[in-house]
Amino acid sequence: MSKEQRNLRAGDSSETTDAAKPRRDIANEAAAHALRLLEKVRHASEARLAKTDTDGDGQQNAAPHAVVIGGGIAGLVAARELRQTGHEVTVLEATGNFGGCVRSTEVAGLRIDAGAESFAVRGGVVASYLDELDLGEQIAATSGQPAWLIQGEDQEILAHPMPATAMLGIPGNVRTDEVRAIIGRPATVRAAADLITPMSKKWATEKLSIAEVVRARMGQAVLDQLVAPVINGVYSTDPAKISIDAAAPGLRQAMQETGSLARAVSKLQASAPAGSRVAGLNGGMHTMVQALVAQLEEAGVALVRNCAATALSHDPQAAAPYAVRTLGQELHADRVVLAVPAQPALELLNPLFAAEQQLDSDGDANAIALAILVIDKPELDDAPRGSGVLVSKQAPLAAKALTHSTAKWPRLADESGPGTHVIRLSFGRIGEHENLVESGDDSALIDQAIKDASKILGVQLHRDDVLGSTVSRFSDMVPLQGEAATARRTALQHNLSDFEGLDVVGAWIAGTGLARVIAQARSAVAISAR
């Protein structure tokens, strides 16, 4: 395909005009549509409340009504569970799209994941759920291309293949040329001490972060140069803030069994060899959202977009104890599931709690941005940096990670064709303020993405190589469960014990990753199911 053909596919707007077309007030149309749906839901809710049994004892005959606030993956999963247990379900989504962090965008004629693009294979939670959605046959393996690591300081960039034996950057074999090239010979000798240093019995039960474990067993160089880039790139936070049990389930036990961190990693890696740790879907992970929405619509769930909940009240003596306020309407519900990020969730919940029980949202900066480029550059056909790159914090780059999506996903490579490449660069870290991300200037972010991609890939890119670009922003990212998050979750669960039929789901409670989010949403709804 020629460059001219690719530009045509991307769409040349210079030859078209909408000047003669009447402008539609899309925002008002969306609000009007939401209000019409809400009116139907409200009437149905009132009709259910009016129904009593023939004995006149005031008990409802109609199916209980559940309102799910938030239409991300956690909310959609909870809605499906509730519908399957006989509830009438209404989902209120504040934006115009369902799926939350699992989203898509069209760039240069290609439909691309603009959020989560893969899921962890370990444990089988996501794969099993995809089977339930009749998507099991659409699960797609990666190309098997390796990941790389970028180091550097001042203006010097060094690129190394990530050690093939590594998990979260922790090497299962420290005596390899790959490890030595990254951390140096003296640091390799220090790391090898892990193999002969006795394992403290205290480590079987005490609270441990990834940083504590790696520093104690293998040294600071392994932590800074191998582990931190992975944790920063994948989870947007510092390894000191992540529990070892949340980040690597089973690693603590394997350490006790093998007496070594490296041998523990090797033991876990044996059950998940390189190239099979993550998978995706043919058509992209966003097709999971499409399947969920389609099933919910077919089951009669009311899915209301552009409809933010503004207040939640509780009257245990009422026939339907919960009332949700939205767009000037009040919906009565027997059950409510909050599937929104921490700040909006706590704004709704705190008025229900006593003053001493109210919780603060995480005050950490958490703005993350994903710059997506579709570029015409045949020089990248050989995937010079494999499936993608994780960047050391000391390197002279703004991006923390790059994914070469067309090198990682054969389906996307086939769709884009030779010479055309999809590159995704991630910017921003939880707990750190970055003007480039927080300014909201998409053009500046794309310019930086082009510069950083050139350095990372070792191929000079220019604006005219870019067939299309976009920025996907996330303002509610959370790290994996650390000590503070665990304490907040415990306090919240204690508060919720006084409210039958009120549940909270989502990543800020479950932790990062589809497996955690899906499992927690299903468990939370099942625990209080009637």
Side-chain angles (χ1 to χ4, degrees), residues 34-55:
L35 280 170
R36 287 195 297 272
L37 283 177
L38 280 177
E39 191 67 18
K40 291 181 180 179
V41 172
R42 187 175 63 81
H43 282 311
S45 177
E46 290 173 353
R48 278 190 292 270
L49 289 174
K51 281 187 177 181
T52 57
D53 63 10
T54 56
D55 293 334

Side-chain angles (χ1 to χ4, degrees), residues 434-458:
E434 297 187 21
N435 290 334
L436 180 65
V437 176
E438 295 178 352
S439 70
D441 188 338
D442 287 359
S443 180
L445 195 66
I446 292 298
D447 285 340
Q448 187 64 51
I450 294 170
K451 292 177 184 177
D452 283 1
S454 297
K455 294 178 181 179
I456 291 170
L457 296 169

Side-chain angles (χ1 to χ4, degrees), residues 306-347:
N306 304 296
C307 186
T310 54
L312 173 65
S313 59
H314 177 245
D315 179 1
Q317 304 305 316
Y322 295 98
V324 180
R325 190 78 178 170
T326 177
L327 298 182
Q329 304 282 328
E330 194 167 75
L331 302 181
H332 295 278
D334 303 277
R335 299 191 58 181
V336 171
V337 178
L338 272 73
V340 291
Q343 183 172 337
L346 293 175
E347 286 174 357

Side-chain angles (χ1 to χ4, degrees), residues 73-126:
I73 287 295
L76 297 178
V77 168
R80 183 171 178 268
E81 297 294 309
L82 289 166
R83 187 71 190 101
Q84 289 180 337
T85 56
H87 290 76
E88 295 294 335
V89 182
T90 301
V91 180
L92 307 178
E93 167 54 38
T95 72
N97 298 291
F98 294 105
C101 290
V102 182
R103 62 181 73 162
S104 68
T105 188
E106 186 171 314
V107 184
L110 297 170
R111 178 57 58 180
I112 300 168
D113 282 319
E117 63 164 7
S118 63
F119 62 89
V121 173
R122 188 186 301 277
V125 172
V126 181

